[in-house]
Amino acid sequence: RKIVSLYQKLETDNPSLENQFERAQFCSEILLDSAESFSSYLDRLAKKATKNDLIQNIKLAKAKVLLELASKETYPNNKVEALALLDEIIKSDDKSNTSKLASVQIQNILSKFLSVELVKNSYENENTGAHISYNNVNKLTISFYKIDLSQAFKFEEGSEIRKDSLVKLILQKQKKISSETYNLIDKKDYFHYSTEVLLPKLPKGNYLVYFESDSDAKEQKAIGYETIAVSNISALVSRKDQTETYQV
């Protein structure tokens, strides 16, 4: 309350639009005022603002509110609108601090995300699928590399750094056993989506499964990996009187 009083005194002494904006922004961030109310206030303030610095700060604040309220159900266009505002800030002055903050927000909106859930154990030539969660990805390539038991154990027991090094070595030294590319629906609204894809049938063995998104630049790809085992052994499990029976 003391800080709010200071903002109010400052605004009373100098009722500039800048001071009004600073007080409203503080109240919105710290006192958890309604995001919708703050958004409406920013719209009204934008119509009065004439100084470029204030105009750009209002746009940045508006973009943040749009992103906070973004929802596929209620506000499906918010991320698109926020991106447009952020682009305007950078075009106005790409050297300003506000522009740098806008760039960070843009990177967050456009960043690629990819998560693939696989069946860890399957039997030879079985039809299996993968659950894909993604964001800003148009195409997904899933590649399979056969690995021996010692390599498989390293993936189970090694640290993340060692696993990453092993993946890099396998990609460099070994040929793909199989590879499939899948087109994913990208609605260009920058929200997360999920889907299921059918994987190729594989002969028995242990595999490194490497997946990567499309991108013009390698550092902008979303990548990941997992290991799976394919065998010619299937097991049936039955339960009776709290006793489990396995049939191989």
Side-chain angles (χ1 to χ4, degrees), residues 111-114 137 141 210-224:
S111 63
K112 294 179 183 291
F113 169 80
L114 181 64
V137 174
T141 299
Y210 184 79
F211 39 92
E212 59 184 336
S213 71
D214 57 315
S215 178
D216 294 331
K218 184 177 180 181
E219 63 272 12
Q220 295 177 354
K221 286 185 178 181
I223 61 174

Side-chain angles (χ1 to χ4, degrees), residues 68-129:
E68 179 184 344
L69 296 173
S71 164
K72 282 187 278 189
E73 291 75 26
T74 53
Y75 296 105
N77 295 322
N78 271 27
K79 292 191 176 186
V80 176
E81 293 174 10
L83 187 61
L85 286 174
L86 296 168
D87 281 334
E88 289 177 8
I89 293 171
I90 294 175
K91 289 177 181 178
S92 174
D93 181 4
D94 61 1
K95 299 294 191 299
S96 68
N97 184 58
T98 305
S99 176
K100 293 176 182 177
L101 294 174
S103 295
V104 173
Q105 294 291 333
I106 289 176
Q107 290 174 8
N108 291 336
I109 295 172
L110 298 181
S111 63
K112 294 179 183 291
F113 169 80
L114 181 64
S115 175
V116 180
E117 296 179 19
L118 305 169
V119 177
K120 289 283 290 183
N121 297 281
S122 60
Y123 56 88
E124 191 172 12
N125 293 320
E126 178 186 7
N127 283 317
T128 61

